[in-house]
Amino acid sequence: RERWEALTDGGWDSNTLEELTAAMAAVSTLRASQDEEISAAATWVTARSIEFAVDQVPPRYYTDAVKENLATVVVNTADEGVKVATGGSPKGLGLYQGEKDKDLDDANSLYTTMIYRVIDNKAAAASILSAFFDAAMERYPDVGDVTTLEMKYQIVASVYGYLATISGQRMVDIMGAEADYDNPIAATGSALEAMAYADAVNQGLFADPEAFNAEYLQDGGSGEPYSWYTTNDDGTTTFTLDTPPSSEQSAQIHSWANAIGAEHDPEYAVMRADSGVNAGIRRGVCLIRGEDGIGGEPGEIAIKKN
């Protein structure tokens, strides 16, 4: 605590902040330590780092190096980030600890603002998305039925909706509402559906072997088999997609899902996957943009833009 106060009491500029935020990033990795004392200390420093970066560092000091360092801090809070993205709070971090005039809404705002400040950097955005997706996936490592599948991808899609909306807002604020820009969060709702279909296949939710008839798994024009599926020695099938899937893979697996229909999907795994993704995206978007999802009403989480 004394060391932290000494570090943050002096004057900082862009160059020296790169060094300080690199140290913050390094300490945040120690949250994973098996030593409880080290992990607790690292969590304390991580929370103070987020508070300092948002409340004391002017946005003009955020160089690309600072953004990437702070993205590492966010990556090492991915479990808490998933909670925020699904309507909860980063309670485990202890943000604004001991400040009686602050509550969980303030903590959510602070945490989301940190993401907003760094997410226009593509490397930072990619790191955060990957870490949050992994943390969300780990909530349900085993998917034994379609209800669990739907729940899992509702969480994954909430993460996507939350991050994509923050990123889109950031790009609009930088470039203007009429600007044409690429959202740094490189995923889509269709890609999430594709991931869910592949997960359902790999977890054995499609019991009918005819769901994997070769005619459903080939290009309609060339007749070439899709490159991302494998027939195993035991007769089962594995779908192996990129993370997130490419647009081509997504289109191909959707063609497969449409072709098999309810006849070979009696548990409606495809429909339940779609339902989870759609509900999750809406929840993540609405946290930032309000219940209508298009910005007419403010969301539950306020971003500090100045």
Side-chain angles (χ1 to χ4, degrees):
R1 190 182 301 268
E2 290 175 1
R3 180 62 174 155
W4 173 261
E5 290 173 355
L7 280 170
T8 56
D9 191 38
W12 296 92
D13 59 27
S14 296
N15 292 329
T16 50
L17 277 169
E18 290 180 7
E19 298 175 0
L20 177 60
T21 55
M24 292 174 176
V27 172
S28 71
T29 66
L30 298 177
R31 295 192 70 210
S33 173
Q34 296 303 305
D35 185 314
E36 292 184 4
E37 187 173 344
I38 291 175
S39 178
T43 295
W44 187 90
V45 173
T46 297
R48 304 293 79 77
S49 298
I50 295 172
E51 293 165 2
F52 175 81
V54 173
D55 290 341
Q56 297 186 49
V57 178
R60 66 180 182 277
Y61 284 170
Y62 278 61
T63 65
D64 281 332
V66 167
K67 290 176 183 179
E68 290 172 22
N69 290 336
L70 293 177
T72 299
V73 174
V74 175
V75 162
N76 290 308
T77 66
D79 287 338
E80 289 85 4
V82 171
K83 292 175 183 176
V84 175
T86 53
S89 71
K91 191 173 182 180
L93 274 175
L95 294 171
Y96 290 136
Q97 191 176 69
E99 298 191 33
K100 295 182 179 179
D101 61 332
K102 303 290 187 180
D103 57 22
L104 291 178
D105 287 341
D106 295 304
N108 281 344
S109 175
L110 178 78
Y111 187 84
T112 302
T113 300
M114 168 75 103
I115 296 173
Y116 170 85
R117 293 267 185 95
V118 306
I119 207 165
D120 56 292
N121 177 288
K122 289 188 176 181
S127 296
I128 292 170
L129 179 65
S130 178
F132 279 38
F133 268 11
D134 287 347
M137 293 283 196
E138 287 170 7
R139 297 282 190 92
Y140 293 98
D142 299 312
V143 177
D145 55 67
V146 293
T147 298
T148 306
L149 178 74
E150 183 175 2
M151 293 168 64
K152 178 176 182 175
Y153 281 91
Q154 186 174 122
I155 291 174
V156 173
S158 290
V159 164
Y160 165 71
Y162 169 78
L163 291 178
T165 307
I166 295 169
S167 180
Q169 186 61 66
R170 177 64 172 158
M171 297 309 295
V172 166
D173 291 340
I174 291 172
M175 301 179 68
E178 303 303 320
D180 184 20
Y181 63 86
D182 292 328
N183 194 315
I185 295 299
T188 64
S190 293
L192 299 186
E193 291 170 354
M195 290 167 59
Y197 302 161
D199 204 358
V201 168
N202 296 338
Q203 300 262 6
L205 298 189
F206 289 89
D208 184 352
E210 281 301 306
F212 307 109
N213 189 305
E215 67 179 280
Y216 301 139
L217 289 165
Q218 62 186 16
D219 184 88
S222 68
E224 289 292 318
Y226 298 143
S227 61
W228 41 261
Y229 84 94
T230 304
T231 302
N232 305 310
D233 291 340
D234 61 1
T236 60
T237 300
T238 299
F239 286 3
T240 305
L241 304 179
D242 298 336
T243 304
S246 66
S247 58
E248 180 181 41
Q249 288 176 340
S250 181
Q252 290 172 344
I253 198 171
H254 275 82
S255 294
W256 166 81
N258 291 331
I260 64 171
E263 177 184 0
H264 304 306
D265 181 18
E267 296 296 320
Y268 298 102
V270 168
M271 183 182 73
R272 297 294 290 272
D274 290 351
S275 177
V277 168
N278 291 334
I281 290 176
R282 177 172 175 78
R283 179 167 62 181
V285 169
C286 289
L287 288 172
I288 309 301
R289 302 194 68 180
E291 286 303 315
D292 61 3
I294 58 174
E297 295 289 338
E300 297 174 25
I301 300 176
I303 295 174
K304 301 175 181 180
K305 296 187 178 181
N306 299 316

